[in-house]
Amino acid sequence: MTLPAISRFPVPEIKDLPEDIRTRILEVQEKSGFVPNVFLTLAYRPDEFRAFFAYHDALMDKPGPITKAEREMIVVATSNANQCQYCVVAHGAILRIRAKNPLIADQVAINYRKADITPRQKAMLDFAMKVSARAQEVGDDDMDTLRSHGFTDDDIWDIAAIAAFFGMSNRLANVTSMRPNDEFYAMGR
């Protein structure tokens, strides 16, 4: 069986990429054992690849009161709302690994309100979903709710920025018809 293409757009050969992008992709391959298709798909536009991953890393790799697993929860919940198969599958795998919980990603993707998460995490996801779908309705009550769960202004910014960034990412993944790597489905199970 021949698998469908990983993107509607041309996918460059790793050997033909600018050195900084090639190095990053090979480092990811060394660490994970495969090259996530998002790297190959976005490498079609090198300047945008660099900008995308710089902002991704700034949002997703920072330490702080919002854990890396919680950041992945935001991605999984909002990506499901945006019907982004790639991000639900890929970030679901990362969420399972970071949360050390084989069930959490499916629960969050399908209906985070019924997932085995804390009230704080539910408030975080309620806000992320509002930012993702109805950002124009965000108001002071939303901030008050998040603050009542211990989120700071910087935390609230992070939640909003992750939801907004992945809204853009979801749209690109859908337009490119980015295929999730088969490896993601079994990770963290």
Side-chain angles (χ1 to χ4, degrees):
M1 173 177 120
T2 304
L3 294 176
I6 66 169
S7 174
R8 287 190 165 104
F9 293 84
V11 176
E13 294 289 328
I14 294 173
K15 66 180 179 54
D16 298 331
L17 292 170
E19 185 167 339
D20 62 318
I21 293 174
R22 184 174 57 250
T23 298
R24 175 150 187 174
I25 289 173
L26 293 175
E27 287 171 355
V28 168
Q29 182 179 35
E30 176 72 24
K31 183 177 178 181
S32 65
F34 65 99
V35 178
N37 289 341
V38 66
F39 288 89
L40 299 173
T41 299
L42 296 181
Y44 173 62
R45 310 269 300 237
D47 289 341
E48 292 167 36
F49 176 103
R50 292 179 187 101
F52 179 94
F53 282 108
Y55 197 40
H56 171 277
D57 296 350
L59 292 173
M60 300 303 289
D61 292 340
K62 69 194 298 183
I66 301 174
T67 67
K68 288 183 178 184
E70 289 170 334
R71 291 170 189 276
E72 296 297 338
M73 281 182 196
I74 295 167
V75 178
V76 171
T78 59
S79 294
N80 184 59
N82 291 324
Q83 298 182 35
C84 181
Q85 182 185 46
Y86 184 89
C87 290
V88 170
V89 172
H91 289 274
I94 298 167
L95 172 55
R96 288 190 298 273
I97 291 166
R98 290 198 167 153
K100 296 176 179 53
N101 180 339
L103 308 178
I104 193 69
D106 294 334
Q107 291 177 351
V108 168
I110 293 166
N111 186 347
Y112 72 90
R113 291 172 193 89
K114 294 182 180 180
D116 297 326
I117 60 176
T118 67
R120 176 184 173 275
Q121 291 167 335
K122 182 183 175 295
M124 174 187 76
L125 294 179
D126 283 342
F127 179 68
M129 295 294 279
K130 189 170 188 177
V131 169
S132 182
R134 305 179 325 279
Q136 73 279 5
E137 295 177 14
V138 170
D140 291 340
D141 289 348
D142 298 299
M143 305 297 150
D144 294 341
T145 298
L146 290 168
R147 288 183 186 114
S148 76
H149 286 278
F151 291 105
T152 66
D153 286 349
D154 283 340
D155 299 335
I156 295 167
W157 184 287
D158 284 348
I159 297 165
I162 293 166
F165 176 78
F166 278 93
M168 183 270 298
S169 177
N170 298 158
R171 285 157 181 79
L172 277 175
N174 281 327
V175 168
T176 62
S177 194
M178 195 183 307
R179 178 181 170 75
N181 300 69
D182 291 346
E183 292 89 343
F184 284 127
Y185 290 95
M187 291 171 61
R189 301 235 188 236

